[in-house]
Amino acid sequence: MDPAEGTDATDVTGGVVAVAGEVIMDMVPAGGVDLFRAAPGGSPANVAVGLARLGVPARLLARLSGDVLGRRLRSHLAGNGVDLSHAVDASEPSSLAIVVLAEDGSADYDFRVDGTADWQWTDAEVADAVDGVLALHVGSLGLTTPPGGAVLRRLAARARETATVTFDPNVRHLLMGSAEATMRVVDELLQVADVVKASDEDIEWLAPGRELADVADEWASRGPALVVVTRGGEGALAVGRAAGLVDRPGLPVAVVDTVGAGDSFMGAVLAGLHRRGLLGAAARERLRAMDAATVTELVDEAVEVSAITCSRQGADPPTAQELRERHAG
């Protein structure tokens, strides 16, 4: 199926997808020596923006500061159509990440996050956050950083009763502690999540020396209906309960940088499931029964969206209109 079909907000299957986690201002290279520009980021925020651009009603559960960076982050999210009605007005400062790019466009990060707004969740702040949603996506630093990480993990467990739960570990070595500690969080989420997406770099850190397909198969056996592993320019593989192993190639693209590529991929997977009516607790058995052809379509759509993001600077996922024009051409 054309990933641009049915992705206007008026055309998609009804229902909100919620995303919970951090919103970080990225300082990204701007083309000159020691020259940076401020670009809104944070893995969950990027997923929410990607969903909204693909026409999926997206609700972001975030703690947004009222400082200069926080106001800019809020404006970026609202300007992209992300629902902030359940965002918390936080008194703490915004988080900051400094991005360094390698020659191949891959990104490394240095963070300024001590005492910032993103990690201070309380259970009261998310008491009604997933009421009426079809799905909840969680991942990255928000799940592993105290004190709020435990709050979001409890939220994911509660959301499973009525919604699809999706999870991306999105490993950030500098802030997540040891691989063993991070894997304990992954283990907890594997008992809750219906869909898991990880990168080859995530798995190499969490399960060193193991084949990607073997790890994906093991993770799928522990609960999820679908586990997808991205491999940069080499594409992605997926293991589905009914589909088995699906291995798809990447798309050739002139890489500007890889910032937000995995988040764009995750957003496209969620949008594809949304469009096919496969989100929500009532759809759980149909999600588990996806055949190889459907999983192939989903992965190919997500690979395309991710490749487009890599072709431009920063976390800048495509819109449904861009995809339509790309396919029409």
Side-chain angles (χ1 to χ4, degrees):
M1 179 183 290
D2 183 337
E5 289 180 3
T7 51
D8 279 337
T10 55
D11 294 334
V12 294
T13 302
V16 173
V17 175
V19 183
E22 65 268 21
V23 188
I24 297 176
M25 189 64 80
D26 292 339
M27 301 302 294
V28 299
V33 176
D34 296 328
L35 183 63
F36 290 81
R37 69 179 180 90
S43 178
N46 292 341
V47 172
V49 169
L51 280 167
R53 289 188 179 185
L54 292 176
V56 177
R59 174 189 299 174
L60 184 61
L61 314 179
R63 302 187 85 258
L64 294 171
S65 175
D67 63 13
V68 171
L69 296 181
R71 293 195 297 273
R72 182 168 175 178
L73 291 167
R74 183 182 290 273
S75 176
H76 167 74
L77 293 163
N80 276 282
V82 175
D83 173 12
L84 298 178
S85 62
H86 287 70
V88 174
D89 294 326
S91 59
E92 303 87 0
S94 298
S95 304
L96 183 68
I98 301 168
V99 183
V100 179
L101 300 178
E103 290 185 3
D104 63 358
S106 61
D108 198 6
Y109 296 83
D110 186 10
F111 294 94
R112 303 291 183 270
V113 296
D114 288 347
T116 53
D118 296 283
W119 332 117
Q120 315 305 324
W121 289 102
T122 66
D123 288 299
E125 290 174 337
V126 295
D128 64 349
V130 295
D131 290 356
V133 305
L134 278 179
L136 171 68
H137 174 72
V138 294
S140 197
L141 294 167
L143 286 181
T144 60
T145 306
V151 173
L152 295 186
R153 297 196 299 274
R154 287 193 292 271
L155 175 68
R158 176 163 56 85
R160 181 177 170 80
E161 298 175 6
T162 56
T164 301
V165 176
T166 67
F167 166 55
D168 177 4
N170 193 45
V171 168
R172 293 291 177 256
H173 307 168
L174 288 175
L175 298 181
M176 287 185 172
S178 68
E180 292 77 12
T182 304
M183 194 63 217
R184 287 195 290 272
V185 173
V186 174
D187 287 337
E188 184 177 343
L189 267 294
L190 289 175
Q191 307 302 314
V192 172
D194 297 290
V195 178
V196 176
K197 174 256 162 193
S199 71
D200 51 359
E201 292 180 347
D202 293 339
I203 290 180
E204 287 166 9
W205 190 66
L206 293 167
R210 297 190 58 191
E211 294 292 328
L212 300 178
D214 291 344
V215 174
D217 187 63
E218 180 200 336
W219 287 9
S221 74
R222 294 166 63 186
L226 180 68
V227 176
V228 185
V229 181
T230 59
R231 303 174 302 197
E234 301 302 313
L237 62 85
V239 174
R241 282 296 186 92
L245 177 64
V246 171
D247 193 333
R248 302 301 297 162
L251 286 178
V253 63
V255 175
V256 174
D257 67 48
T258 62
V259 176
D263 305 326
S264 296
F265 188 103
M266 186 71 242
V269 168
L270 274 164
L273 294 172
H274 188 274
R275 188 169 60 252
R276 291 171 173 85
L278 292 173
L279 295 179
R284 184 161 284 131
E285 290 308 313
R286 288 187 289 115
L287 182 66
R288 290 172 177 267
M290 280 191 302
D291 59 18
T294 302
V295 173
T296 296
E297 288 179 352
L298 278 171
V299 174
D300 286 350
E301 292 166 11
V303 164
E304 180 182 23
V305 168
S306 181
I308 293 170
T309 303
C310 289
S311 72
R312 46 210 201 185
Q313 191 175 51
D316 186 13
T319 64
Q321 181 63 31
E322 287 180 275
L323 292 174
R324 280 193 294 272
E325 292 173 353
R326 176 184 172 95
H327 294 164

